[in-house]
């Protein structure tokens, strides 16, 4: 490709709308253009990257027995109504009606579609296991699409679905996909971690997210430097913290005017936050729920939602608190309140002589002790893990990091097959539900995550495996016929050998060409200048390291191949 013909309009200034590095650099390098909020056109350079990621994904899916198909984007409501998800999926689903007033959606995911397909054709255990996948656009009506391709309304995803005879078969399929994902992200040149996660709207139990480590990541993860444990903070399970035993003191009430926060009350009373009980009130579709955690901890709302088995959960407003508990926000406590669902974190049950709200304005209880002074409906792990908390596996302190989710693997078990009656006849002729797994990779998100992890002040630094092109050839003087002729020769030689090269043949200053090359992020830059002509030496600069190497103009091909193999 000649740069003069390449449709990649670069920008010198960063658009104000772009908040994260990947969004900024993809706009500036001419890789994407915004069509609407959360909807983007992929320009030629970006599409080349996407196709390379897709090809890596296809190779690894096929290697594990996957078969590619392509399902409709428009899905009839009836499938979703059979599983019960049509009414509960939420506002993220794009819903539409056809001219006959029939309900459809734009597919945010394809569990219903694939299960309905398979149930109509697979009847015998001899047809299992089966792994089917597609690479296709997905649609989710994000309330606040942001960060470019990181959180969009339209995105490209690979989703594979496994169908097995039993749990043993599912475990094997899951392990195969886990291995494939590890290979895929390694081949893409990413630094990542597979972490235990929550199933979310997909459902099932047993799932891992593949997180690209980046400071800009929306997800918080924890990992143990001493063992293999890693988890999304929403999923991380915690043991109750042991606290030195104290003699139980008599319950008392103290005046605490204006102290509506843990910080305010602990400051007034001269105690640490770990001596307080934090009481939070939630509205759910199962009713009002009161949650208790230690004063220096936070409620993990995902754990709480799973525990209550509710579809919606949000902090209650003041009106609800007053009407339900007869108490005042900021002074709520578990002593004496009447509520069907009082859930205490297990660490709260180990506290001695704690402080909590007294359910009256400007009043707090002192010397509160669980069991003696209040009895929770449920005692469970509902707190959010923090850095230096003990690892659930080895008890040593955990560390935290930020991550960008690029893939997730799920064990769905029989959630969808039972709801949709996807069954097979076993070896004894008995009807059994198929046991399913679901495995997704955000292809467009992987491209953005790669940039978040691979950039500097000058632009993108592509790993060679997914770079739009491997090498750019830049002649210093476009008016020098010898430089242009040699550049063209190098360009043709590289492409003929399978190395994807572009030739910057524009009549521009060298500085403009170099800036564009760094902005777009070609792994190698070959400079052809007077030294090349006079000394028969070409200059090769490695984008990632800044290293400059000199190769013989008559013998450079193998050296460039060797360089790319390391990038």
């Amino acid at each position: 490709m000649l740069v003069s013909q390449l449709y990649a309009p670069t920008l010198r200034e960063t658009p104000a709308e772009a908040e994260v590095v990947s969004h900024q650099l993809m706009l500036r390098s001419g890789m994407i253009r915004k069509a609407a909020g959360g909807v983007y056109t992929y320009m030629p350079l970006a599409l080349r990257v996407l196709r390379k990621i897709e090809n890596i994904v296809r190779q690894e899916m096929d290697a594990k027995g996957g078969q590619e198909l392509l399902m409709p984007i428009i899905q009839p409501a009836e499938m979703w109504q059979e599983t019960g998800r049509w009414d509960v999926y939420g506002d993220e689903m794009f819903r539409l009606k056809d001219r006959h007033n029939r309900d459809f959606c734009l597919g945010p995911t394809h569990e219903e579609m694939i299960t309905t397909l398979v149930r109509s054709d697979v009847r015998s255990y001899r047809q299992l296991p089966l792994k089917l996948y597609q690479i296709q656009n997905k649609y989710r009506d994000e309330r606040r699409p942001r960060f470019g391709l990181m959180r969009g309304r339209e995105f490209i995803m690979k989703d594979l679905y496994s169908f097995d005879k039993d749990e043993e078969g599912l475990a094997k399929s899951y392990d195969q996909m886990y291995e494939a994902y590890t290979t895929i992200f390694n081949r893409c040149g990413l630094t990542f971690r597979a972490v235990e996660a929550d199933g979310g709207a997909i459902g099932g139990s047993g799932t891992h997210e593949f997180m690209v480590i980046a400071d800009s990541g929306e997800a918080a993860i924890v990992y143990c430097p001493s063992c293999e444990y890693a988890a999304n903070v929403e999923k991380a399970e915690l043991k109750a913290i042991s606290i030195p035993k104290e003699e139980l003191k008599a319950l008392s009430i103290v005046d605490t005017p204006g102290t509506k926060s843990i910080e305010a009350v602990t400051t007034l009373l001269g105690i640490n936050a770990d001596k307080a009980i934090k009481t939070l009130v939630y509205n759910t579709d199962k009713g009002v729920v009161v949650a208790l955690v230690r004063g220096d901890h936070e409620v993990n709302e995902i754990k709480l939602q799973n525990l209550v088995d509710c579809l919606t959960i949000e902090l209650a407003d003041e009106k609800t608190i007053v009407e339900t508990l007869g108490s005042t926000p900021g002074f709520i406590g578990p002593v004496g309140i009447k509520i069907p669902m009082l859930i205490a974190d297990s660490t709260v049950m180990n506290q001695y002589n704690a402080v909590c709200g007294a359910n009256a304005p400007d009043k707090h209880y002192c010397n509160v002790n669980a069991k003696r002074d209040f009895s929770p409906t449920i005692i469970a792990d509902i707190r959010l893990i923090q850095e230096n908390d003990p690892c659930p596996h080895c008890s040593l302190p955990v560390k935290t990091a930020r991550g960008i989710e690029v893939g997730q693997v799920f064990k769905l078990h029989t959630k969808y097959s039972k709801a949709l009656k996807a069954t097979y006849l076993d070896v004894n002729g008995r009807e059994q539900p198929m046991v399913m797994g679901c495995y997704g990779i955000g292809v467009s998100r992987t491209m953005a995550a790669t940039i978040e992890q691979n950039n500097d002040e000058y632009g993108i630094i592509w790993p060679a495996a997914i770079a739009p092109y491997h090498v750019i050839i830049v002649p210093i003087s476009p008016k020098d016929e010898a430089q242009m002729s040699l550049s063209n020769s190098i360009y043709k030689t590289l492409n003929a050998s399978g190395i994807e090269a572009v030739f910057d043949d524009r009549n521009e200053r060298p500085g403009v060409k170099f800036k564009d090359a760094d902005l777009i992020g070609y792994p190698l830059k070959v400079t052809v200048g007077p030294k090349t002509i006079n000394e028969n030496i070409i200059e090769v600069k490695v984008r990632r390291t800044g290293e400059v190497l000199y190769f013989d103009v008559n013998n450079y091909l193998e050296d460039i191949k060797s360089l790319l193999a390391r990038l």
Side-chain angles (χ1 to χ4, degrees):
M1 174 59 68
L2 301 178
V3 174
S4 62
Q5 299 173 7
L6 178 63
Y7 187 38
T10 58
L11 305 174
R12 292 289 165 245
E13 301 297 324
T14 301
E17 68 185 80
E19 299 175 70
V20 295
V21 170
S22 60
H23 193 192
Q24 295 167 359
L25 292 178
M26 294 186 87
L27 288 170
R28 287 188 54 210
S29 63
M31 291 201 165
I32 60 172
R33 287 294 182 262
K34 180 179 177 181
V39 182
Y40 291 87
T41 295
Y42 300 107
M43 307 285 267
L45 287 174
L47 191 59
R48 289 182 66 88
V49 176
L50 288 171
R51 293 293 181 253
K52 290 185 177 185
I53 296 170
E54 289 175 3
N55 287 338
I56 290 172
V57 169
R58 282 191 175 94
Q59 289 167 12
E60 298 305 327
M61 293 298 98
D62 293 351
K64 298 297 186 183
Q67 300 178 66
E68 187 172 5
L69 45 64
L70 189 62
M71 291 180 280
I73 288 171
I74 299 176
Q75 301 186 30
E78 289 84 0
M79 295 178 181
W80 290 73
Q81 289 164 348
E82 279 192 73
T83 61
R85 289 209 298 172
W86 180 259
D87 295 321
V88 302
Y89 197 89
D91 293 336
E92 283 190 359
M93 180 183 282
F94 278 102
R95 301 167 195 262
L96 62 153
K97 291 180 181 289
D98 69 5
R99 67 179 65 196
H100 304 293
N101 208 36
R102 291 177 298 207
D103 288 314
F104 292 84
C105 70
L106 299 182
T109 184
H110 276 71
E111 285 80 16
E112 281 82 0
M113 180 69 73
I114 192 71
T115 309
T116 301
L117 174 71
V118 170
R119 77 178 177 186
S120 64
D121 295 311
V122 175
R123 296 298 303 150
S124 169
Y125 72 95
R126 293 185 180 90
Q127 295 171 275
L128 301 175
L130 183 64
K131 298 183 184 72
L132 301 172
Y133 76 94
Q134 64 175 352
I135 299 176
Q136 189 200 68
N137 287 10
K138 293 285 194 293
Y139 297 87
R140 293 177 190 169
D141 192 6
E142 293 278 357
R143 178 180 296 177
R144 289 183 295 274
R146 56 192 305 211
F147 303 150
L149 303 185
M150 302 287 282
R151 190 193 290 179
R153 289 175 170 167
E154 179 185 66
F155 53 94
I156 301 171
M157 182 177 172
K158 184 283 302 181
D159 44 327
L160 181 145
Y161 304 88
S162 65
F163 296 84
D164 284 281
K165 294 178 290 186
D166 49 32
E167 289 292 330
E168 183 180 353
L170 171 60
K172 183 177 179 180
S173 294
Y174 188 90
D175 289 345
Q176 287 175 335
M177 287 299 108
Y178 188 103
E179 291 169 4
Y181 276 37
T182 301
T183 302
I184 287 166
F185 296 124
N186 278 328
R187 287 183 62 185
C188 288
L190 295 169
T191 300
F192 65 95
R193 274 186 174 271
V195 304
E196 295 179 10
D198 180 75
I202 302 298
S205 62
T207 176
H208 286 83
E209 292 172 337
F210 286 77
M211 293 283 193
V212 169
I213 307 303
D215 291 339
S216 58
E218 288 190 279
I221 65 172
V222 293
Y223 64 95
C224 179
S226 305
C227 71
E228 293 299 313
Y229 179 76
N232 188 308
V233 294
E234 295 173 345
K235 173 65 176 176
E237 298 176 1
L238 293 164
K239 299 173 184 176
I241 297 175
S242 297
I243 299 167
K245 192 170 183 179
E246 297 178 19
E247 182 180 344
L248 272 56
K249 298 179 181 178
L251 187 67
S252 62
I253 294 181
V254 295
D255 291 325
T256 53
T259 56
K260 290 191 173 184
S261 67
I262 290 291
E263 182 181 8
V265 73
T266 54
T267 299
L268 177 69
L269 299 178
I271 60 173
N272 294 328
D274 62 4
K275 292 292 290 184
I277 297 173
K278 187 183 294 183
T279 307
L280 295 165
V281 183
Y282 289 91
N283 263 333
T284 79
D285 55 284
K286 296 288 182 70
V288 174
V289 173
V290 176
L292 308 176
V293 291
R294 206 169 71 176
D296 56 336
H297 294 160
E298 300 295 332
V299 172
N300 185 325
E301 293 182 0
I302 298 297
K303 289 182 182 177
L304 186 62
Q305 184 174 12
N306 290 338
L307 187 67
V308 176
D309 193 24
C310 59
L311 298 173
T312 61
I313 185 168
E314 62 181 1
L315 284 169
D317 58 20
E318 183 171 352
K319 182 173 181 286
T320 301
I321 293 171
V322 171
E323 289 178 354
T324 307
L325 303 177
S327 187
T328 304
F331 300 96
I332 309 165
V335 179
I337 65 168
K338 296 187 180 349
I339 190 81
M341 192 75 75
L342 177 63
I343 302 175
D345 181 69
S346 50
T347 294
V348 169
M349 305 306 291
N350 290 346
Q351 287 181 277
Y352 294 95
N353 302 317
V355 169
C356 70
N359 299 309
D362 300 326
K363 303 286 184 182
H364 274 78
Y365 280 116
C366 288
N367 303 324
V368 176
N369 290 278
K371 297 180 183 176
R372 184 193 71 179
D373 300 318
F374 65 91
S375 297
T377 313
I378 300 173
I379 300 168
D381 165 28
I382 60 167
R383 73 182 178 92
L384 202 62
I385 195 169
Q386 301 171 345
E387 187 159 272
N388 295 320
D389 273 335
C391 169
H393 287 186
C394 72
S395 298
L396 292 174
V398 297
K399 299 293 184 184
T400 59
R402 306 297 301 179
I404 300 167
E405 181 196 339
V406 290
Q408 191 164 6
V409 290
F410 301 85
K411 289 182 178 179
L412 298 176
H413 305 286
T414 57
K415 174 180 177 178
Y416 294 93
S417 57
K418 282 186 175 179
L420 293 165
K421 299 179 176 57
T423 62
Y424 70 95
L425 297 178
D426 66 16
V427 68
N428 297 312
R430 291 193 295 263
E431 196 169 49
Q432 304 287 353
M434 299 179 202
V435 184
M436 293 175 58
C438 169
Y439 317 89
I441 287 178
V443 176
S444 48
R445 180 177 263 240
T446 296
M447 177 168 62
T450 301
I451 297 172
E452 291 292 331
Q453 197 175 75
N454 296 273
N455 68 82
D456 62 13
E457 60 187 301
Y458 305 110
I460 303 167
I461 306 173
W462 287 111
I466 60 173
Y469 291 93
H470 300 129
V471 181
I472 183 166
I473 299 108
V474 182
I476 294 294
S477 174
K479 296 179 181 179
D480 187 311
E481 290 186 11
Q483 290 183 30
M484 294 296 283
S485 176
L486 181 56
S487 295
N488 190 49
S489 174
I490 295 170
Y491 165 66
K492 290 182 177 179
T493 299
L494 291 177
N495 278 297
S497 69
I499 296 172
E500 299 166 0
V502 291
F503 171 19
D504 197 340
D505 61 331
R506 295 176 298 169
N507 186 19
E508 290 281 4
R509 299 186 310 276
V512 171
K513 296 180 179 182
F514 292 158
K515 283 184 178 179
D516 280 350
D518 286 346
L519 176 60
I520 292 170
Y522 305 106
L524 296 180
K525 179 175 66 185
V526 173
T527 302
V528 177
K531 188 172 184 178
T532 310
I533 304 303
N534 297 330
E535 301 180 23
N536 288 328
I537 292 174
I538 62 170
E539 177 186 296
V540 180
K541 185 173 183 179
V542 180
R543 175 71 180 89
R544 182 169 298 280
T545 64
E547 181 182 11
V548 176
L549 302 166
Y550 296 94
F551 300 143
D552 189 319
V553 77
N554 298 309
N555 187 26
Y556 58 82
L557 189 56
E558 292 306 316
D559 292 316
I560 287 180
K561 285 183 177 179
S562 178
L563 262 182
L564 287 170
R566 301 201 302 266
L567 299 175

